[in-house]
Amino acid sequence: MRAMVFAAAMLLGFVAPTLAPAPALAAGPTTLRIGLREDPDILDPTLSGSYVGRIVYAGMCDKLFDYDPKLDIVPQLATSYSWKDPTHLILHLRAGVLFQDGEKMDADSVKYTLNRDLTMPRSLRKGQINDIAAMNVIDPLTLEIVLKQPNSAFLAQLAGRPGIVLAPKAAEQEGDKFGLHPVCAGPFRFVQRIPQQKIVLERFKRYWNAKAIHFDRLEYIPIVNSAVTLANLQAGALDMAEYVVPTDVAAVEKDPKLRIAMDTSLANYGITFNVGNGPEAKSPIGESADLRRAFDLSIDRNALIHVVFNGLYTPIGQANPPSSKFFVPSVQPTKRDIAAAKKLVAASGIKPPIDVTLMVSNSPDILQAAQVIQAMVQPAGFNVKIQATEFASSLAAARAGHFQAYMIQWSGRADADGNMYSFLHSGYGFNYGHYSNPEVDKLLDQARIAQTVPERVAIYAKIWKIEQQDMPVSYLWSPKNIVGLKKSLLGFKQVPDGIIRVQGMHFAK
Amino acid sequence: MQAPIGARLLHLVPTILLVTIIVFALQHLMPGDPAVMMAGEAAGDPHVVAQIRAQMMLDQPVWWQYLHWLDEVLQGNLGYSWRLTSPVLVLIAQKLPVTLQLAAMAFFFAVAIGVPAGVVSAVKQGTAWDWAANAIGLFGLSIPTFWLGIVLILLVSVDLGWLPPSGYVPLTQDPLRSLATTIMPSFVLGNAIAAILMRHTRSAMLTALSQDYVRTARAKGLTEQRVVIRHALRNALIPVVTLGGLQLGTLLSGAVLTEQVFDVPGIGKLVVDAVFNRDYPVIQGVVLVTGLLYILINLATDILYAVINPRLRGG
């Protein structure tokens, strides 16, 4: 017994302090350790669907195009492009690019990858590029893509996961297990993944843009608990956390070794109303646009953001945040007006209190936001019952129409089509409430064909005008990309998509 | 003793089968569509979701899916994770040693704290020692794991900088660093068990100390230390060992929460992530393996029980 107690004392009293400081756990000085908010899914760009997976790809796989901090599309593996006509896209590829297995990247590789996206069973990319009718290799560095119909959002897809070019030999050899040993043409090559623990990449010395890379290794460490993420940052066990919750910002700023980098995000949070999905759409709020507008008018977005998110987020009235090129300035977030809300309730002919069940995911900040909304809409005559539901269950309930109002986030896309089409067009998966307005459908289709940004913005302005009358979704706020990092880590450039690009980043000497 | 153990090993098969059927049924009753979860950001396209569902054979009847899975298991294949595409067996082989290490260290803490505290509390009944030991017990039972975990992280890792706040280093890679990453989580995990062991040890010791054979031992002039350790404690340990064995199983389930708090990549974290992502093959594989482990631990406890108590060796 004495021996056991002694051994315990040894462990606690002697072993632990000798291992300090905690950062000593880290690898060499040129390793960059990035904390992720969750563990990514499979690391195969054709099969993966998680947001954090895109952050890992940024370290491992270059795309044909990328976004700069102003959300302009800039060349990466492609050097330029031109539209021969609205359905014929010519891509000019960068010369001398090698995949991490030594294979040369050329037009055939791009064609192979896009074909894989189009034909592979379980491909999640098919829907993004299924307008491709044909691909013609003009020469080793030129590819012509023929579309079935004009699609103004197509180029943006090549700045996303479909634009990642895979090493054909490796992809062919590994098949659907390619994600266990991915090979592409990025700055770091895949070394090891221990699920839920870390993803390790090491510098690819023959990377085409090698001079922009200043680390030997990258480690992505998934940490789900935000308090533990903060502790790891403070203890020096992470060099960077891709997301810090607003309530932890002050703690990071107080730490002399750390700093916060904060920028606008493409994400949005809103309440989707069930207006046509099954019997639960037959609720007062599902059937009356007046009531939905009254609900929207009752919410003080600024106060909500101040109380729940330390005032850091941005109130919105549309899916595209102010940082987007597709933001329509005339569509501003609704200002709280209880008198107007009451008038709309009276005009609906429905006597208060009006019961509304609001389904939300069971994370603490979102629950708190729901409680604030519950209190805010009460004076207008709404009796909100909050239904906190585990995320996957809430998605299933939403798709099955088992909800009246559903508060959910979308990670956001730089191109407006990715924030609107699947959400407001009839018959699409993110249109949980089965909102259907032929005019909106027609305008969304028109926007896909329109060739210039101003043309598209004009169409989107028309859509938002209708949306604000029908109110299938009440948009609430756009979060911020809040990155916590060591002060000694320099050269980090934020892009509103939240993806961490390691090019140009380095530790202070 | 061999006959009952053989019989219990035979019972293992239907028990495990029943467990897998229940888990299979429960995970299909659980709301949430695995195809939507796998599609992630691409779930806005209904064709993508339908295609995934067909690929995963989720459009087949549940009984058919179960039999298909069982057929594969009997051939030694636990399937592939839908989310990670890794073989489930490989994932379990990676994660199980982490949890077993955590559980073993937690059990060590539980015994090292709980048993001496229980003995002291019983021997020094009604004194300050007794009160202190009871306070330890009350603390262990009352403090929620997640709270204690976060407080320890803040105190030991952030303020004192003694130990890493989370993560894991394998024992084979670097034993010292491995201990550093697992001391806090195993202490938190073992804390509640220590309290339970302390209370049972105290109660068993109080009973043993009032027995005639203890009085006889004292009358023979043995030292108090010898009376307590050789005579009272040895007898008091029989129910404590049983309880300890049962708590080993509890440690495996308790690891689920502890691994979440400390981000220890063990089997608990694996199954929680699998549940949140509706990764059915991983859930089934983990339940099968932990179910087997649980049953084997109980069997081992029974054997140990018989070793300690010779009266039970007859079978």
Side-chain angles (χ1 to χ4, degrees), chain B residues 77-298:
Chain B
N77 178 16
L78 290 186
Y80 288 86
S81 158
W82 287 340
R83 186 172 153 80
L84 303 167
T85 68
S86 305
V88 173
L89 210 54
V90 170
L91 286 173
I92 293 174
Q94 275 178 344
K95 307 295 176 186
L96 195 57
V98 181
T99 301
L100 289 180
Q101 183 187 342
L102 198 64
M105 285 178 64
F107 194 67
F108 170 80
F109 276 121
V111 173
I113 297 168
V115 173
V119 172
V120 169
S121 174
V123 173
K124 308 274 184 189
Q125 193 187 8
T127 66
W129 287 101
D130 188 18
W131 283 101
N134 273 305
I136 292 174
L138 195 65
F139 172 83
L141 285 174
S142 322
I143 300 294
T145 304
F146 60 88
W147 183 86
L148 182 62
I150 296 287
V151 167
L152 278 179
I153 288 172
L154 290 175
L155 185 72
V156 180
S157 302
V158 178
D159 289 346
L160 300 173
W162 283 4
L163 294 170
S166 65
Y168 175 74
V169 174
L171 203 56
T172 48
Q173 190 180 315
D174 187 336
L176 266 187
R177 293 199 192 291
S178 182
L179 281 179
T181 50
T182 43
I183 280 180
M184 273 202 293
S186 53
F187 174 76
V188 169
L189 183 58
N191 175 54
I193 314 259
I196 295 168
L197 282 181
M198 177 264 155
R199 294 180 79 84
H200 275 79
T201 307
R202 181 180 187 272
S203 163
M205 279 296 287
L206 284 175
T207 307
L209 287 169
S210 65
Q211 297 296 312
D212 289 344
Y213 61 82
V214 169
R215 196 177 307 122
T216 308
R218 282 185 177 132
K220 281 162 67 181
L222 297 180
T223 62
E224 188 62 17
Q225 190 182 351
R226 200 173 169 83
V227 170
V228 169
I229 294 174
R230 282 285 175 86
H231 293 264
L233 182 59
R234 178 150 188 176
N235 283 291
L237 273 184
I238 293 170
V240 173
V241 167
T242 311
L243 182 82
L246 292 174
Q247 294 302 327
L248 265 175
T250 313
L251 281 175
L252 288 179
S253 52
V256 170
L257 194 57
T258 315
E259 286 176 6
Q260 285 293 317
V261 173
F262 289 93
D263 263 295
V264 177
I267 207 110
K269 197 157 158 44
L270 178 70
V271 79
V272 167
D273 280 9
V275 169
F276 282 144
N277 290 299
R278 304 298 189 264
D279 196 346
Y280 289 173
V282 175
I283 302 173
Q284 284 148 211
V286 171
V287 168
L288 181 70
V289 171
T290 48
L292 260 171
L293 262 178
Y294 198 91
I295 291 167
L296 290 174
I297 287 170
N298 281 348

